[in-house]
Amino acid sequence: MKIKVLTLFPRFYDSFLDTSIVKRALAKGIVEFSSIDIRSYTKDKYGRVDSAPVGGGAGLIEQLQPLVDCLRANKGPSAHVVFFTPRGHTYRQEDALRFSKMEELVLVCGHYEGVDERFLSYVDEELSIGDYVLTGGEIPAMAVADSVTRLLPGAIADASLEDESFTNGLLEYPQYAEPYEYEGKKIPDILYSGNHEAIAKWRKKEALRVTKERRPDLYRNYPLGKADRKLVKELEEGNEEPEWLKKALEKGRKFIKKD
């Protein structure tokens, strides 16, 4: 897959490309990433890419010519062009999944007070990463590039993607790492039981709990199955140690940490 970012600040991505999963994906040839300087396409003899808004107003507006010429010179025939703006729809995991199946993604970063409105007719999609204002589209483009790259086959282990937040409509269940106890806080014993079926059930229950508490909007839209409804009933009744959990703990007692 190719990811191209059109920006006035191409050096912004230097450290991003040299770290963690993105660096490994680039080394493996899973993704090609390039940041392209919009300013290099201006025809202004002074290198300007902006001017005051027509009709008056604060700030500077990115001019159409450098944006269009930069886009035309760098987009392939199958490219999907995204522009970041507060008007765009909010970026979600399903968008990352959709983008990860594309051949080429072109991310256009606005700056200053905005871009010439006519440029929007050259893009395929407008996106926002939240209801707040940034100085430019570079951070949103980085967020999209990161979220898409990690979904590409071979970037990370497939198992790492299976139970992530938003992948199945719920937030992810709690995760723990050794030691067993730290400052009086213990890892739940069920995770040491060796009973993988019970552990999966406990994790699903915790995912339902966390989603209901933290993201009720997601919870309302989640299609509860028969087994899910039983777990939800336990949550609503405050049943922290149902019979299935007691049995799993009893059978797995030799694995459960005591120190």
Side-chain angles (χ1 to χ4, degrees):
M1 180 186 190
K2 295 180 181 179
I3 298 177
K4 299 177 180 178
V5 178
L6 311 189
T7 173
L8 292 173
F9 304 96
R11 295 294 303 275
F12 186 91
Y13 298 94
D14 288 355
S15 60
F16 170 68
L17 300 177
D18 196 39
T19 54
S20 190
I21 292 167
V22 174
K23 181 179 181 179
R24 293 198 298 271
L26 288 166
K28 291 179 181 179
I30 293 168
V31 65
E32 296 178 25
F33 184 98
S34 52
S35 53
I36 297 132
D37 190 354
I38 296 169
R39 193 179 300 277
S40 64
Y41 289 86
T42 184
K43 294 179 180 178
D44 182 89
K45 64 180 180 179
Y46 299 109
R48 292 198 63 175
V49 294
D50 54 60
S51 60
V54 175
L60 297 168
I61 305 299
E62 279 194 68
Q63 296 169 326
L64 194 57
Q65 176 271 313
L67 284 165
V68 173
D69 285 358
C70 182
L71 180 60
R72 283 178 172 161
N74 291 285
K75 63 174 280 192
S78 61
H80 184 75
V81 182
V82 175
F83 177 67
F84 298 101
T85 167
R87 297 181 191 172
H89 74 86
T90 303
Y91 185 62
R92 297 184 179 278
Q93 185 68 9
E94 51 262 38
D95 296 310
L97 288 166
R98 176 166 55 89
F99 289 165
S100 71
K101 295 176 173 60
M102 296 178 177
E103 293 181 17
E104 181 178 319
L105 191 61
V106 178
L107 308 175
V108 185
C109 305
H111 216 76
Y112 307 120
E113 195 65 25
V115 302
D116 187 308
E117 181 75 12
R118 293 169 291 179
F119 180 66
L120 300 183
S121 66
Y122 295 87
V123 309
D124 298 308
E125 188 169 350
E126 296 175 51
L127 277 185
S128 168
I129 62 167
D131 294 341
Y132 46 88
V133 179
L134 298 170
T135 56
E138 284 74 23
I139 290 174
M142 183 182 292
V144 169
D146 183 272
S147 62
V148 170
T149 298
R150 64 190 305 281
L151 292 174
L152 298 176
I156 61 176
D158 291 344
S160 297
L161 300 173
E162 290 175 359
D163 294 320
E164 288 187 316
S165 293
F166 310 114
T167 299
N168 62 3
L170 297 174
L171 297 180
E172 189 175 10
Y173 50 77
Q175 297 273 30
Y176 300 89
E178 297 282 5
Y180 170 63
E181 183 175 354
Y182 185 77
E183 295 187 346
K185 300 175 179 64
K186 298 179 181 179
I187 293 174
D189 285 339
I190 186 62
L191 299 177
Y192 289 103
S193 69
N195 188 324
H196 298 296
E197 183 179 349
I199 289 172
K201 194 171 184 178
W202 178 87
R203 283 174 166 168
K204 184 61 175 293
K205 183 176 178 179
E206 288 301 302
L208 289 164
R209 182 204 304 273
V210 171
T211 306
K212 187 176 183 180
E213 291 175 354
R214 308 286 182 87
R215 288 293 302 273
D217 57 321
L218 291 178
Y219 182 80
R220 284 193 297 270
N221 293 323
Y222 183 74
L224 294 172
K226 184 177 179 181
D228 296 330
R229 286 193 288 271
K230 290 181 180 179
L231 296 176
V232 169
K233 185 178 180 182
E234 291 174 7
L235 290 171
E236 291 173 346
E237 293 175 347
N239 189 354
E240 296 295 332
E241 199 167 287
E243 283 303 313
W244 63 266
L245 184 58
K246 290 178 183 177
K247 290 178 180 178
L249 291 172
E250 179 61 25
K251 288 181 180 179
R253 62 185 179 278
K254 65 179 179 180
F255 300 106
I256 296 173
K257 295 230 172 186
K258 298 298 181 184
D259 51 9

